[in-house]
Amino acid sequence: MIHESALLESKSLRDGALDRTDVLDRVKALSLLPDGMHVTTAMVAAYFGVTAEAIRQLKARHHGELSGNGMLTLQGPDLAEFKRDVLSRYPAGYPQPRSSLTLYSRRAVLNVAMLLRDSEVARQVRTYLLDMEYRARTQPVDNPVPSHSVSLDDRIDQRITHILGETVVPMFNALIETSGEHQRELIALRAGVQQVEKRLRQHHARLHRLEGPREDRPLAGVMASMDAMNGREFEEHIATLLRRDGCTDVVVQGGGRDRGVDITALTAHGRRLVVQCKRFAPHLSITSAELQKFLGAAKVLHDSEVALFVATCPFTRDALNIAAETGVTAVHRGLLEEWSAGAALPVLG
């Protein structure tokens, strides 16, 4: 088994383990900020039992690698927005930074664990990571599959489909041939099984379409990349999607002069479009009050013909009802992922 110190020296080893952020909570509970996604430098230091200065020095030495894995520093309007949307909810629980604030995603914290030498917690995380990797490579497999195969769920679907088609349906055929009294019931049951088999085959085909790479959409990790963005980056990402789908005159407002909206544009057919962007943690929700506030700005201040409320989280039932009644398009996390992956929003057509 590879010694845990190997992660300190090998970036390729670190890159291969960065998806295992669950290891952090297995070693020690990691407390997050109210947005459910980030921690501060002080919180990272507390988790690893080192000084904040040690984390700052590590950040200076490995800034590029950490930034690529979700570390970001907020300043100016981005910091003001984060203080307003996140820290202000718990004003007594978190410091209010004046000029800048460095945030770490869970992935960045795991990256720190693989770089921090003088921390027993970090050493335990590295040992746990390599132990899990060793067990995964040495665990015997009854039915090995090629490395290019799809997910475990996909293989289970294929196995169930095979059993239904090669075993269960033929069994029904034999029973129908020898049964007179219950023949009608058996035929109905066989039809039901065949329908299930058909749906599983369709599901299997759909998984291949969704999981397979395509030139017109990014690969997996769309939402993870958005969760790592700051507010301005998220707005620019949405602006890019609008331009991709034929919108013109796309302007990211930003700052205190946005008059209640984040982006203005014209659709492909020249209709006035306004967009509100909210990059919230997935466990939060857009409320009816937030949607009503946007509705007032969109209709009254901007005289919009198309209004999008785009969020990285769900909407409450009341908010969705208001959106449906007033013609606002609520782009929740699932719809946002599909849009970012290449699907078109009908309202923009």
Side-chain angles (χ1 to χ4, degrees):
M1 177 178 169
I2 303 175
H3 193 270
E4 53 87 15
S5 61
L7 287 168
L8 295 167
E9 310 300 334
S10 173
K11 186 175 184 301
S12 61
L13 277 180
R14 295 196 294 271
D15 290 342
L18 281 167
D19 289 332
R20 301 308 305 266
T21 56
D22 58 300
V23 169
L24 294 170
D25 292 312
R26 296 189 185 192
V27 174
K28 181 182 177 182
L30 176 65
S31 299
L32 300 173
L33 287 169
D35 68 346
M37 296 187 294
H38 296 103
V39 294
T40 64
T41 299
M43 294 167 74
V44 175
Y47 176 83
F48 289 112
V50 298
T51 64
E53 181 59 27
I55 301 300
R56 283 191 284 268
Q57 291 178 6
L58 187 74
K59 168 191 168 185
R61 291 196 303 271
H62 302 279
H63 189 276
E65 182 176 343
L66 291 169
S67 297
N69 289 309
M71 182 192 76
L72 65 153
T73 299
L74 302 182
Q75 296 176 312
D78 291 332
L79 177 59
E81 179 187 11
F82 190 81
K83 290 168 67 175
R84 181 188 71 236
D85 293 345
V86 178
L87 299 183
S88 63
R89 300 180 196 173
Y90 300 87
Y94 300 98
Q96 299 294 317
R98 292 184 178 180
S99 59
S100 67
L101 176 65
T102 298
L103 299 176
Y104 294 78
S105 66
R106 288 176 62 87
R107 188 180 176 93
V109 175
L110 183 59
N111 199 167
V112 170
M114 292 187 278
L115 292 167
L116 190 60
R117 294 180 180 274
D118 301 324
S119 165
E120 178 60 23
V121 173
R123 188 191 67 77
Q124 291 178 24
V125 171
R126 294 193 294 270
T127 300
Y128 207 122
L129 281 171
L130 291 175
D131 182 56
M132 293 176 69
E133 172 65 17
Y134 174 79
R135 283 186 291 174
R137 286 189 288 107
T138 58
Q139 187 72 25
V141 180
D142 292 334
N143 295 296
V145 295
S147 60
H148 62 269
S149 295
V150 288
S151 66
L152 175 61
D153 289 341
D154 194 18
R155 297 198 301 271
I156 291 172
D157 284 345
Q158 294 181 59
R159 184 173 297 179
I160 293 173
T161 304
H162 177 79
I163 292 172
L164 290 176
E166 301 297 326
T167 304
V168 178
V169 171
M171 180 186 69
F172 273 115
N173 291 337
L175 287 172
I176 289 169
E177 289 179 3
T178 59
S179 175
E181 181 180 354
H182 301 290
Q183 190 176 63
R184 181 175 299 176
E185 289 87 348
L186 287 170
I187 291 173
L189 285 172
R190 181 182 65 182
V193 171
Q194 289 173 323
Q195 184 66 23
V196 171
E197 180 189 4
K198 179 181 178 182
R199 289 181 180 177
L200 280 172
R201 291 188 187 279
Q202 292 172 342
H203 175 64
H204 175 65
R206 183 171 181 269
L207 276 178
H208 273 289
R209 289 196 304 272
L210 292 175
E211 294 179 354
R214 291 206 323 247
E215 293 182 357
D216 62 341
R217 74 173 189 203
L219 297 176
V222 171
M223 293 311 300
S225 65
M226 271 186 274
D227 289 339
M229 294 176 183
N230 60 37
R232 183 69 178 190
E233 290 170 337
F234 181 56
E235 291 169 2
E236 293 289 352
H237 173 70
I238 300 304
T240 299
L241 295 180
L242 294 172
R243 295 185 186 101
R244 182 201 71 190
D245 291 348
C247 294
T248 59
D249 296 339
V250 180
V251 178
V252 179
Q253 302 294 326
R257 302 178 181 178
D258 57 13
R259 301 180 71 199
V261 303
D262 295 317
I263 302 173
T264 60
L266 296 176
T267 69
H269 292 94
R271 293 185 295 168
R272 290 184 300 278
L273 165 70
V274 296
V275 185
Q276 176 70 274
C277 302
K278 288 295 182 183
R279 192 187 54 80
F280 283 178
H283 67 274
L284 300 176
S285 296
I286 300 300
T287 65
S288 58
E290 289 168 313
L291 199 136
Q292 288 175 17
K293 180 180 177 181
F294 168 62
L295 179 64
K299 301 297 184 182
V300 177
L301 296 180
H302 294 272
D303 191 26
S304 66
E305 298 172 273
V306 179
L308 301 185
F309 198 121
V310 183
T312 56
C313 64
F315 289 68
T316 65
R317 185 183 299 274
D318 288 342
L320 288 175
N321 288 338
I322 292 173
E325 292 170 0
T326 58
V328 173
T329 299
V331 183
H332 54 74
R333 187 176 180 88
L335 183 55
L336 174 58
E337 182 173 22
E338 294 178 5
W339 186 26
S340 296
L345 288 181
V347 72
L348 297 179

